[in-house]
Amino acid sequence: MNKLKHLFMCLLAIGTVRHNLPCFVSVHLIPVSTPKNGMSSKSRKRIMPDPVTEPPVTDPVYEALLYCNIPSVAERSMEGHAPHHFKLVSVHVFIRHGDRYPLYVIPKTKRPEIDCTLVANRKPYHPKLEAFVSHMSKGSGASFESPLNSLPLYPNHPLCEMGELTQTGVVQHLQNGQLLRDIYLKKHKLLPNDWSADQLYLETTGKSRTLQSGLALLYGFLPDFDWKKIYFRHQPSALFCSGSCYCPVRNQYLEKEQRRQYLLRLKNSQLEKTYGEMAKIVDVPTKQLRAANPIDSMLCHFCHNVSFPCTRNGCVDMEHFKVIKTHQIEDERERREKKLYLGYSVLGAHPILNQTIGRMQRATEGRKEELFALYSAHDVTLSPVLSALGLSEARFPRFAARLIFELWQDREKPSEHSVRILYNGVDVTFHTSFCQDHHKRSPKPMCPLENLVRFVKRDMFVALGGSGTNYYDACHREEF
Ligand SMILES: *[C@@H]1O[C@H](CO)[C@@H](O)[C@H](O)[C@H]1NC(C)=O
Ligand SMILES: *[C@@H]1O[C@H](CO)[C@@H](O)[C@H](O)[C@H]1NC(C)=O
């Protein structure tokens, strides 16, 4: 049997079989010992690798499967968990779009045949899929800031266009939305039944895949919502920094980070050899193949159980895939160590974090607006936010990844507010820079909002090592 097919049969087992996974003999799947400090022992799909239980060598195929995020059985999640005397005040959700068609083609090969129309008799399926399509066809341009109003509201091409959201992507976000509905609306009554337009804040970049992902999540969250109460704002920047995007030092960090990436790649002779082999197969210069970012396309083959492309010179295969994926993992590891990306992230994520604490502070004053905020975004949005928060061990954002900020009020001490941070359903609050040693210092069960506010207003800039303690100074530092 073809290796990729074999792998896929195993893949189906991930959601259902909890223990032995004979397909992944060499793979370390589920930690045996009890995870420490705040990590849920219930979360099966771990988000943060655990240095205690995880072997130093990460399996590229296992990592790729997590990245695909194939919808399976309902997952467990830790959203909405708080002592019973806490009241949920507001929720801020950052998502990466769902599964998409590649952004690049492998030169001189047939692109994968993936159907981006939404149909009931194809897997993965969600019971709300048909209702979603029918509801989207009733939507009008009035619900969207220009230029969003020119985008299709759901994927619809029999052969996907480049970067188009797939049915898998829609199902992933219908699931996310439904999960958040069960927790935040049914259990915690975040919004009243007759919620109003200004209680939602919706923002997306201008790609069809982010808009459609946002709509799918929203539909799962508020089925059959009233279109008149929906308004999606357009965010031109993938960093969601509108109005404060100018930051020269951030760009300098990025250039240095890209240089680091380039040098690491040069050092990896196995990677160079692999690109060389693949270039021979597709008969283009190695440089051209590398520029076509083949891993993006290969991940699509992999996530959709479509064999890798062949030419009369041979086939791109699993070994090529593993080498490139392993390099990506290695690159992420070095990225954490060298901290250039951290500098970029602190400056890149500050504006959106600042905006979020602003929204939270207004909610603590009793304002009933923007209680549910949704930002539909990209890996290049979530990644800097995670890194800036000090969650450098967090995995690279998979398709339909979600990062959530919850704001809570202590009913017994109504002036006290707390935050929780969740990444793909795992509570990572006590892994963040601003609440890491909270348990050592405070008897309070939750992380105080002030910690996050102090961090965003001032402390996050300390990581940069300069003298700047605010965004403007840090962005314009001379000595860098
Ligand atoms: C993957 O494809 C093969 C045939 O190409 C099929 O037999 C197998 O069931 C597929 N696996 C999944 C999970 O769809
Ligand atoms: C942070 O948010 C406040 C409003 O909450 C705003 O006045 C300020 O300009 C923002 N700062 C930055 C750097 O975005």
Side-chain angles (χ1 to χ4, degrees):
M1 183 160 39
N2 167 328
K3 263 194 185 160
L4 191 55
K5 281 179 192 157
H6 171 68
L7 205 118
F8 244 75
M9 315 208 107
C10 305
L11 185 67
L12 276 184
I14 279 214
T16 45
V17 182
R18 291 300 191 181
H19 302 291
N20 294 310
L21 284 178
C23 322
F24 297 96
V25 191
S26 63
V27 181
H28 182 84
L29 246 193
I30 293 158
V32 230
S33 75
T34 320
K36 296 184 183 57
N37 48 37
M39 296 296 291
S40 158
S41 57
K42 287 180 196 142
S43 56
R44 303 286 176 166
K45 291 186 194 165
R46 283 165 323 115
I47 277 72
M48 315 273 286
D50 186 334
V52 181
T53 54
E54 198 141 319
V57 182
T58 324
D59 186 280
V61 172
Y62 173 62
E63 293 296 318
L65 282 175
L66 290 185
Y67 177 85
C68 299
N69 189 16
I70 313 272
S72 56
V73 290
E75 58 180 321
R76 290 159 185 272
S77 86
M78 296 292 286
E79 276 105 348
H81 287 214
H84 70 274
H85 55 98
F86 280 78
K87 176 184 179 315
L88 183 64
V89 179
S90 73
V91 171
H92 309 256
V93 181
F94 296 81
I95 54 171
R96 184 186 180 200
H97 57 75
D99 177 77
R100 59 151 170 77
Y101 198 72
L103 300 171
Y104 305 85
V105 289
I106 301 179
K108 296 199 186 169
T109 57
K110 203 158 66 74
R111 60 191 186 98
E113 279 176 39
I114 309 242
D115 185 340
C116 273
T117 59
L118 304 180
V119 295
N121 62 3
R122 185 192 314 126
K123 279 181 181 163
Y125 174 70
H126 189 281
K128 289 208 172 79
L129 190 69
E130 290 102 318
F132 169 72
V133 172
S134 127
H135 199 64
M136 289 305 112
S137 53
K138 291 177 214 141
S140 83
S143 301
F144 305 98
E145 181 180 355
S146 170
L148 301 175
N149 46 13
S150 64
L151 297 174
L153 304 187
Y154 56 93
N156 55 11
H157 294 90
L159 174 59
C160 300
E161 302 202 317
M162 302 310 287
E164 190 171 14
L165 192 67
T166 65
Q167 174 158 325
T168 305
V170 171
V171 169
Q172 286 165 337
H173 278 303
L174 286 170
Q175 266 189 13
N176 274 339
Q178 183 152 356
L179 181 132
L180 301 187
R181 171 182 180 74
D182 290 342
I183 297 169
Y184 295 139
L185 296 184
K186 292 194 181 153
K187 182 158 170 229
H188 290 290
K189 316 269 184 267
L190 177 67
L191 301 174
N193 289 333
D194 59 346
W195 55 274
S196 61
D198 57 10
Q199 290 175 323
L200 301 185
Y201 181 84
L202 308 168
E203 188 171 344
T204 176
T205 63
K207 303 289 185 204
S208 65
R209 61 182 173 280
T210 43
L211 177 67
Q212 295 166 3
S213 293
L215 285 165
L217 188 146
L218 191 66
Y219 190 77
F221 188 62
L222 294 164
D224 297 312
F225 57 74
D226 179 351
W227 276 105
K228 291 196 285 299
K229 294 200 271 183
I230 298 301
Y231 190 70
F232 267 91
R233 277 161 225 272
H234 172 238
Q235 173 55 250
S237 154
L239 287 172
F240 281 63
C241 56
S242 57
S244 333
C245 290
Y246 182 66
C247 183
V249 174
R250 185 191 72 219
N251 296 336
Q252 290 169 26
Y253 274 116
L254 185 60
E255 280 161 28
K256 291 189 181 186
E257 162 63 14
Q258 285 165 344
R259 175 96 190 138
R260 176 203 64 73
Q261 250 181 24
Y262 171 74
L263 293 176
L264 183 72
R265 203 188 75 206
L266 287 191
K267 275 196 274 180
N268 189 337
S269 56
Q270 212 193 355
L271 181 71
E272 293 303 301
K273 188 170 142 254
T274 298
Y275 277 134
E277 277 174 26
M278 289 169 62
K280 221 171 256 162
I281 290 168
V282 301
D283 194 21
V284 299
T286 308
K287 224 173 141 182
Q288 188 188 339
L289 177 83
R290 201 191 291 113
N293 196 11
I295 190 68
D296 184 57
S297 190
M298 290 163 85
L299 277 165
C300 173
H301 285 87
F302 178 85
C303 295
H304 287 266
N305 193 20
V306 174
S307 11
F308 293 131
C310 293
T311 69
R312 58 195 163 84
N313 301 332
C315 292
V316 173
D317 67 30
M318 203 59 189
E319 292 311 310
H320 300 133
F321 179 77
K322 283 188 193 165
V323 170
I324 305 179
K325 189 71 200 159
T326 301
H327 176 75
Q328 277 192 334
I329 296 167
E330 190 52 46
D331 181 66
E332 283 174 43
R333 186 168 15 239
E334 197 196 55
R335 186 173 97 172
R336 278 197 288 274
E337 280 164 17
K338 294 274 159 92
K339 309 248 161 130
L340 295 165
Y341 188 74
L342 176 65
Y344 167 76
S345 298
V346 163
L347 298 173
H350 176 80
I352 186 63
L353 289 173
N354 182 53
Q355 206 189 109
T356 300
I357 58 168
R359 238 169 231 125
M360 288 182 168
Q361 286 176 314
R362 289 194 292 279
T364 64
E365 290 158 10
R367 304 264 291 268
K368 292 286 173 222
E369 287 137 41
E370 302 179 347
L371 302 181
F372 182 81
L374 174 65
Y375 307 88
S376 189
H378 303 268
D379 55 356
V380 292
T381 317
L382 265 63
S383 225
V385 174
L386 290 165
S387 173
L389 292 175
L391 299 169
S392 59
E393 300 293 322
R395 284 204 158 85
F396 187 83
R398 65 190 191 187
F399 287 130
R402 57 179 199 273
L403 175 66
I404 300 190
F405 292 61
E406 297 175 348
L407 178 66
W408 296 83
Q409 179 180 38
D410 190 344
R411 283 200 186 86
E412 292 168 359
K413 295 179 195 138
S415 65
E416 293 193 0
H417 289 81
S418 304
V419 288
R420 293 179 77 231
I421 314 288
L422 298 113
Y423 184 44
N424 297 333
V426 177
D427 183 351
V428 294
T429 314
F430 298 110
H431 289 256
T432 61
S433 309
F434 62 91
C435 242
Q436 229 162 28
D437 35 13
H438 174 73
H439 287 313
K440 283 183 223 144
R441 296 188 186 171
S442 165
K444 289 180 188 156
M446 303 268 274
C447 181
L449 172 63
E450 297 82 63
N451 285 32
L452 175 62
V453 171
R454 212 184 315 120
F455 179 73
V456 173
K457 294 275 180 215
R458 197 191 63 210
D459 293 353
M460 66 188 295
F461 301 107
V462 171
L464 302 180
S467 55
T469 53
N470 68 59
Y471 182 65
Y472 185 86
D473 291 349
C475 282
H476 296 83
R477 215 163 91 199
E478 291 294 342
E479 75 265 33
F480 188 71

